[in-house]
Amino acid sequence: MSSLLKTHDPSEMNGLDFDVEKIRQDFPILHQKVGSKPLIYLDNAATSQKPQCVIDAVEKYYREDNANIHRGVHMLSERATDYYEGARKKIQAFLHAKHAHEILFVRGTTEAINLVAQSFGRTNLKAGDEILITHMEHHSNIVPWQLVCEQTGAVLKVAPINDRGELILEEFRKLLSEKTRLVSVVHISNSLGTINPVKEIIAMAHNQNIPVMLDGAQATPHVPIDVLELDCDFYAFSGHKLFGPTGIGVLYGKEKFLDAMPPYQGGGDMIRTVTLEGSTYNQLPYKFEAGTPNISGAIGLGAAIDYLYQINFSLATRHEEELLHYAQDKLAAINGLRMIGEAANKISVCSFVIEGIHPHDLGTILDQEGVAIRTGHHCTMPLMKRFGVPATARASMAFYNTLQEIDSLAAALRKAQEVFA
Amino acid sequence: MSDLRELYQEVILDHNKNPRNFHKLDNANHSAEGYNPLCGDQLTVFVKTDGTTIQDLSFEGHGCAISKASASLMTSILKGKSTEDAFKLFDKFHHMVTGEMGSEPDAELGKLAVFAGVCEFPSRVKCASLAWHTLKSAISSGEQVSTEGDDL
């Protein structure tokens, strides 16, 4: 905070400071005990907790507005449709997309990538063509491409990373070729926290007219997203990692690509006309939203985005940076601890292993101390292999976490070392 | 902490640090690989039988303390036992770690009673029983075992 602000009235300062205790009041789930210990939730990269306003929005929808959308002439249906389409507009603004119809509701990032793989991939790929990913992808940005490669004879290429867990950009550039039909890259790694240089990646790919998809599951809760400025062609994220409900996610796609792509699933709402001889398809975005969608999920996600505007997202991310640096210092002080993922540019995710203690044992001991972390391969088995570990322990922080919670994490890790001494 | 000490008993910590029969068995006539995708435990169990008796057995691989100690103790205890008795013991062991047995572990389990604390930690049942499932598979079919989707 600048010195100028310090001379201001203290009440104004409060408005500019990030008051984490006040923020925590918005999340009812955080105020509980695990056994006799207060819950310390450090598994935010797996899923985030939900503020009361999101829970209220979902409840209100079912209590007051529930109806099917886009087809009823009655009041409830019109209201439900308005809220659902209103959520789409909120997401358009959140991503800075040009058109609301470029926002498709899906189940989550996984379905978004599968949609692009099957709809864009199957249409545009032939034997010998290439798709380029990186070594730090989540299984959901590997397996859908392997499936479409099996179906089309295309080849999956993988750009390497260095020992700090950063993409080797020069190697990435070399792997772009006249055979490359699509680049699909994770914006921020779920296992390492690495923020990829996506602007450079996109510029390199576009230089050769190759479209780029970004997996934004971990990025949306931590950095502002502007798809126009990035100029990415597809962007996917999940609602539940962004303080919204599970089962709702978003695929953003540039209109020119979505228009040219065939439907992913067939059913109600995605058609214009159906005869027994054939069908014509609805316009965007409905062409890709077959069947009754997750209406309450979309509304809940809209409420989560409203919440992020309300709390001042830039102050929240600054607080997360402080949490990261504090956690890095505290973890580095633990004997025998090895960090996995030391990118210069990363978010508040700390993956690590401790000599002599398997991550799964760490997870159990930490749970007894009330500390919830993730242990395992984090759906990134190739990445675990790259670092020569079967699994890691991962503490992932959100803006509602506190420095004291990091202290408790460090104390619990020391306790685990005592048990295994 | 008391629950933790129940789970991580000295015997378990010792077998984790210094696993017994932790090598490949060159003259094995059965082997199988076991895998627990939840935590990345991966082990291979080697068995030498004459058709009815387990003459020798060993294991290799990596995993958490519970899975490693369980494999170590299993290989120590079953040497010289009939395969039929081994399977019976597995049933009792399984009942104990899933908490389906009364408060007292069956006397026949002997040293294996150190795993009684596992039933308080449902997410660790798969770790404790992985070696046993793998042994069973080695003797009966030799197919790879995965605890994923298992109703353990």
Side-chain angles (χ1 to χ4, degrees):
Chain A
M1 200 167 290
S2 75
S3 58
L4 185 70
L5 287 169
K6 283 181 184 155
T7 61
H8 278 208
D9 180 67
S11 61
E12 272 185 52
M13 292 248 324
N14 283 339
L16 288 163
D17 268 338
F18 189 75
D19 186 348
V20 66
E21 288 308 326
K22 187 164 167 280
I23 290 285
R24 290 175 70 82
Q25 293 307 314
D26 298 333
F27 292 82
I29 204 169
L30 297 177
H31 310 283
Q32 64 177 294
K33 288 193 164 168
V34 178
S36 60
K37 308 280 169 61
L39 167 68
I40 295 172
Y41 187 76
L42 298 176
D43 194 17
N44 293 286
T47 196
S48 61
Q49 300 302 348
K50 321 304 172 199
Q52 187 65 49
C53 59
V54 168
I55 300 167
D56 288 346
V58 172
E59 196 224 30
K60 179 195 170 287
Y61 166 73
Y62 280 122
R63 200 158 25 80
E64 298 177 10
D65 311 311
N66 179 54
N68 213 330
I69 54 168
H70 298 149
R71 57 197 73 169
V73 291
H74 56 81
M75 185 189 69
L76 286 187
S77 175
E78 281 179 14
R79 213 153 68 202
T81 305
D82 282 350
Y83 289 137
Y84 180 75
E85 292 303 330
R88 197 190 306 276
K89 290 201 180 82
K90 286 177 189 177
I91 290 153
Q92 177 202 351
F94 176 73
L95 293 179
H96 299 91
K98 204 166 172 185
H99 307 291
H101 61 249
E102 293 173 319
I103 305 298
L104 313 182
F105 283 120
V106 290
R107 276 190 297 149
T109 308
T110 298
E111 188 173 47
I113 298 172
N114 276 281
L115 190 160
V116 176
Q118 287 302 311
S119 176
F120 177 88
R122 285 190 89 163
T123 316
N124 291 285
L125 293 168
K126 58 181 190 311
D129 285 348
E130 294 174 359
I131 298 155
L132 179 56
I133 62 170
T134 77
H135 208 138
M136 68 174 93
E137 303 306 327
H138 188 281
H139 294 165
S140 62
N141 199 26
I142 300 174
V143 184
W145 304 116
Q146 289 175 334
L147 287 170
V148 77
C149 283
E150 276 173 31
Q151 291 157 346
T152 61
V155 182
L156 189 60
K157 293 281 179 181
V158 183
I161 60 172
N162 64 24
D163 290 342
R164 290 151 60 92
E166 294 162 322
L167 178 66
I168 305 171
L169 215 49
E170 207 31 58
E171 296 297 321
F172 173 85
R173 186 203 304 271
K174 284 184 202 157
L175 284 164
L176 291 169
S177 77
E178 70 282 358
K179 291 182 192 162
T180 315
R181 292 287 162 267
L182 183 76
V183 167
S184 189
V185 171
V186 69
H187 188 170
I188 294 180
S189 155
N190 71 311
S191 295
L192 307 171
T194 308
I195 305 174
N196 272 319
V198 286
K199 277 200 89 165
E200 286 92 328
I201 288 171
I202 292 164
M204 281 180 191
H206 282 185
N207 204 25
Q208 301 190 42
N209 291 320
I210 302 162
V212 178
M213 165 152 208
L214 295 180
D215 162 0
Q218 298 295 333
T220 39
H222 298 286
V223 297
I225 310 296
D226 187 330
V227 292
L228 283 185
E229 198 207 328
L230 286 172
D231 198 24
C232 62
D233 303 286
F234 298 101
Y235 198 96
F237 73 92
S238 299
H240 73 97
K241 295 199 201 279
L242 191 68
F243 316 101
T246 53
I248 188 76
V250 168
L251 173 65
Y252 158 81
K254 278 184 186 165
E255 185 182 39
K256 63 171 179 178
F257 288 108
L258 295 179
D259 261 340
M261 282 156 56
Y264 169 56
Q265 292 179 331
D269 221 25
M270 53 76 69
I271 45 82
R272 183 165 287 139
T273 60
V274 175
T275 68
L276 293 177
E277 288 71 42
S279 305
T280 58
Y281 307 125
N282 206 338
Q283 63 194 13
L284 290 177
Y286 312 112
K287 181 171 89 175
F288 290 103
E289 293 182 2
T292 298
N294 184 352
I295 305 166
S296 69
I299 290 169
L301 177 54
I305 286 170
D306 286 343
Y307 178 75
L308 291 177
Y309 288 126
Q310 183 199 318
I311 63 164
N312 191 336
F313 195 56
S314 64
L315 284 182
T317 54
R318 207 184 305 164
H319 173 66
E320 287 179 352
E321 258 173 59
E322 193 185 355
L323 288 170
L324 171 65
H325 295 143
Y326 192 75
Q328 282 172 324
D329 287 348
K330 288 283 166 185
L331 293 175
I334 292 173
N335 282 336
L337 185 143
R338 174 187 164 208
M339 289 292 290
I340 306 289
E342 297 177 288
N345 199 11
K346 68 178 279 183
I347 56 151
S348 48
V349 165
C350 293
S351 261
F352 55 88
V353 289
I354 291 183
E355 207 184 322
I357 314 179
H358 191 279
H360 207 192
D361 295 312
L362 272 182
T364 293
I365 295 171
L366 262 57
D367 181 51
Q368 292 291 298
E369 298 298 309
V371 182
I373 60 160
R374 171 84 189 268
T375 61
H377 52 60
H378 318 293
C379 295
T380 53
M381 288 170 85
L383 189 61
M384 297 293 110
K385 203 172 169 193
R386 165 69 178 76
F387 282 97
V389 292
T392 75
R394 181 189 67 188
S396 54
M397 283 77 79
F399 53 69
Y400 45 61
N401 289 123
T402 66
L403 299 179
Q404 291 85 339
E405 288 182 314
I406 306 292
D407 289 335
S408 301
L409 166 70
L413 290 172
R414 291 210 157 83
K415 200 158 210 171
Q417 287 184 315
E418 274 171 38
V419 172
F420 275 75
Chain B
M1 200 69 179
S2 64
D3 276 354
L4 269 187
R5 284 292 175 208
E6 273 295 303
L7 180 66
Y8 293 108
Q9 296 201 21
E10 286 305 326
V11 178
I12 291 180
L13 294 173
D14 172 50
H15 277 261
N16 173 50
K17 234 180 201 168
N18 309 298
R20 324 293 199 265
N21 310 304
F22 190 56
H23 53 79
K24 198 175 168 202
L25 197 63
D26 285 331
N27 59 351
N29 50 8
H30 298 277
S31 72
E33 203 186 313
Y35 183 51
N36 178 358
L38 183 69
C39 48
D41 295 343
Q42 196 157 15
L43 52 88
T44 309
V45 172
F46 303 94
V47 195
K48 184 177 183 324
T49 69
D50 60 6
T52 51
T53 307
I54 297 174
Q55 293 166 312
D56 203 358
L57 79 167
S58 71
F59 79 106
E60 261 189 339
H62 54 77
C64 65
I66 306 298
S67 71
K68 221 159 142 190
S70 174
S72 174
L73 271 157
M74 179 191 82
T75 52
S76 311
I77 276 170
L78 294 185
K79 245 181 246 185
K81 282 205 164 37
S82 73
T83 52
E84 200 187 328
D85 284 351
F87 291 162
K88 274 186 194 154
L89 204 57
F90 178 25
D91 281 341
K92 286 182 175 157
F93 180 80
H94 196 251
H95 283 311
M96 175 179 70
V97 295
T98 50
E100 287 169 16
M101 205 158 55
S103 50
E104 283 299 308
D106 192 293
E108 267 184 57
L109 285 165
K111 260 191 184 175
L112 295 174
V114 296
F115 291 100
V118 170
C119 69
E120 297 297 324
F121 297 83
S123 66
R124 308 308 298 273
V125 171
K126 288 179 177 181
C127 311
S129 45
L130 178 64
W132 291 85
H133 278 289
T134 311
L135 170 77
K136 204 171 176 179
S137 164
I139 293 174
S140 40
S141 64
E143 278 170 14
Q144 198 191 41
V145 173
S146 169
T147 57
E148 190 85 314
D150 196 317
D151 63 349
L152 294 174

